[in-house]
Amino acid sequence: MGRPPCCDKANVKKGPWTAEEDAKLLAYTSNHGTGNWTSVPQRAGLKRCGKSCRLRYTNYLRPNLKHENFTQEEEELIVTLHAMLGSRWSLIANQLPGRTDNDVKNYWNTKLSKKLRQRGIDPITHRPIADLMQSIGTLAIRPPPSAAGASSSSYIPVNPAAAPGLQPLHDDVKYHAVLNHQQQQVITLLDPDAPGAAASPDHQLKWSDFLADDAAAFEAAPQVVLGQYQEAAVAGGGAAYGDTDSIAADGVGGGGEDSAASAFIDAMLDSDKKMGVDQLIADLLADPAYYYGGGSSSSTSELGWGG
DNA sequence: AAATCGGGCAACCGCGCGCAG
DNA sequence: CCTGCGCGCGGTTGCCCGATT
C-alpha cells in the first residue's frame, strides 16, 4: 500500500515554470507567506503540485538567493563540509548564505567532484585515490580501528603509521597538527569551561561508544561528542557518513548512528551561528595543508581551485 | 550547415520524519 | 498508540544549450 499522491497528477502541469507562473507564486507567497504548500496552487491560481511550488520557490524565487557563480571560498567550504557531513546538502547549504541545497548538490555533482578526481582525491571518501587502491589491497588484513587509532586518524593524507610502506602524498604531521588545532579551537569555542574537555587525549571516547548512547552523551558533554564526531569524520574511508548511510539503509539500529550525527550537526549549526565557528571553518580551509600538506598557509589559491 | 555529444541545471520522484488528530 | 498528512531531503531524470565533429 503506497502513499496516496499529494495531488491529482492528471490535472497538474509539469516541466519548466513560466514567468507568469513565477509571478503568481511570488505574489501569493509575498502576501500570504509560505505555509501549507498543498493549498498554495489552488489559492495562487496555479495548476501545479504543491510540492512543485515549494521547490520552485525555495530553489529559485526565494528572496536573497544568489544566482551568480560559486566563489572559490564557497567551493572550499563545500568540499570541507562534504568531507565532514557527506551528501547532506541541506546542512551544507545552511553554511552558504543564498545557496540552496539543490544548487550545492548540482555544483558538487557537475564540478567539484570532477575537480577532486582530477587532483587524485576520491570525492566520496576524500582520501587520495592511491590510498584507496592500497586500502582495497590490504582491506582483508586490516585490524579494526582502535580508540588509539581513531585519535591519530588519517584523513586525506594517509597516516604512515597506519599504512607503513605507502608513500604519503602530503605532510601528514603538519596536516594533523593543523586539523587537531582547529578541532580544539572549535571545541573550546563551544564550551571552554567544560570539565574534561576533549583537549585531554586520555578522555577521548570511541565514536562507537558515543553512538551507543548518543543522545545522553551529547547532552552531558557536547564538547566531547564534537571531538568524537570530528575524529570519526576525519577517520579514513569516509566512515563518518558511509556507515550511517548503511545503517539507515538496512534499517538496523533504530537510527542510532544517524541520530548521533544529526544531533551533533544540529547542535553544531546552532552553535556556529552564535559563536562564529564559520570563521574557524574558513581558517581551516585557508590552510593549504588541508589538501596539500606543507607550504605556507597564506593563500587559499594554493589549494589550486582556480583553474 | 547539420548532426551528435556532453555538461549544466531545473525539476521531479520517492522516502523518512515529525506532528496533529 | 496508530494513522494520515505535510514538509523537507537526497537521488535521479530530462531538457536545454554550447562545443565538437
Side-chain angles (χ1 to χ4, degrees), chain A residues 41-61:
Chain A
Q42 187 181 8
R43 292 169 182 261
L46 292 163
K47 292 184 186 302
R48 292 274 182 176
C49 177
K51 213 169 170 179
S52 178
C53 292
R54 180 177 60 80
L55 218 58
R56 181 63 177 174
Y57 179 80
T58 56
N59 287 339
Y60 192 80
L61 297 176

Side-chain angles (χ1 to χ4, degrees), chain A residues 73-265:
Chain A
E73 288 73 23
E74 286 176 316
E75 282 190 6
E76 291 164 1
L77 184 53
I78 292 169
V79 172
T80 291
L81 292 175
H82 186 272
M84 295 175 67
L85 303 172
S87 56
R88 296 176 181 222
W89 304 116
S90 60
L91 289 174
I92 295 172
N94 279 342
Q95 300 298 313
L96 297 160
R99 303 296 189 187
T100 70
D101 56 349
N102 211 35
D103 285 340
V104 175
K105 178 173 57 182
N106 283 334
Y107 194 66
W108 174 268
N109 287 334
T110 59
K111 298 269 185 64
L112 291 181
S113 62
K114 289 175 187 171
K115 278 191 181 183
L116 287 177
R117 278 195 201 92
Q118 285 170 1
R119 300 183 186 290
I121 297 169
D122 178 63
I124 298 173
T125 63
H126 292 258
R127 298 177 69 197
I129 292 171
D131 181 20
L132 288 176
M133 302 307 288
Q134 179 84 6
S135 296
I136 290 169
T138 60
L139 193 59
I141 59 173
R142 269 207 176 168
S146 65
S151 65
S152 60
S153 58
S154 67
Y155 172 41
I156 292 154
V158 64
N159 186 340
L166 183 64
Q167 285 293 327
L169 297 181
H170 315 302
D171 182 346
D172 291 353
V173 174
K174 176 174 173 55
Y175 168 77
H176 285 96
V178 170
L179 185 58
N180 289 335
H181 176 66
Q182 297 288 355
Q183 287 177 359
Q184 287 308 318
Q185 283 188 284
V186 173
I187 293 164
T188 303
L189 255 185
L190 287 176
D191 192 355
D193 299 327
S200 167
D202 293 339
H203 193 273
Q204 287 178 342
L205 303 174
K206 286 182 290 188
W207 173 239
S208 55
D209 291 339
F210 164 53
L211 295 173
D213 194 12
D214 63 288
F218 184 75
E219 287 190 13
Q223 75 288 350
V224 174
V225 171
L226 172 61
Q228 289 170 358
Y229 182 83
Q230 290 190 329
E231 290 288 353
V234 300
Y241 59 89
D243 288 353
T244 58
D245 283 351
S246 65
I247 292 292
D250 64 21
V252 174
E257 292 192 1
D258 217 22
S259 65
S262 297
F264 162 68
I265 291 161

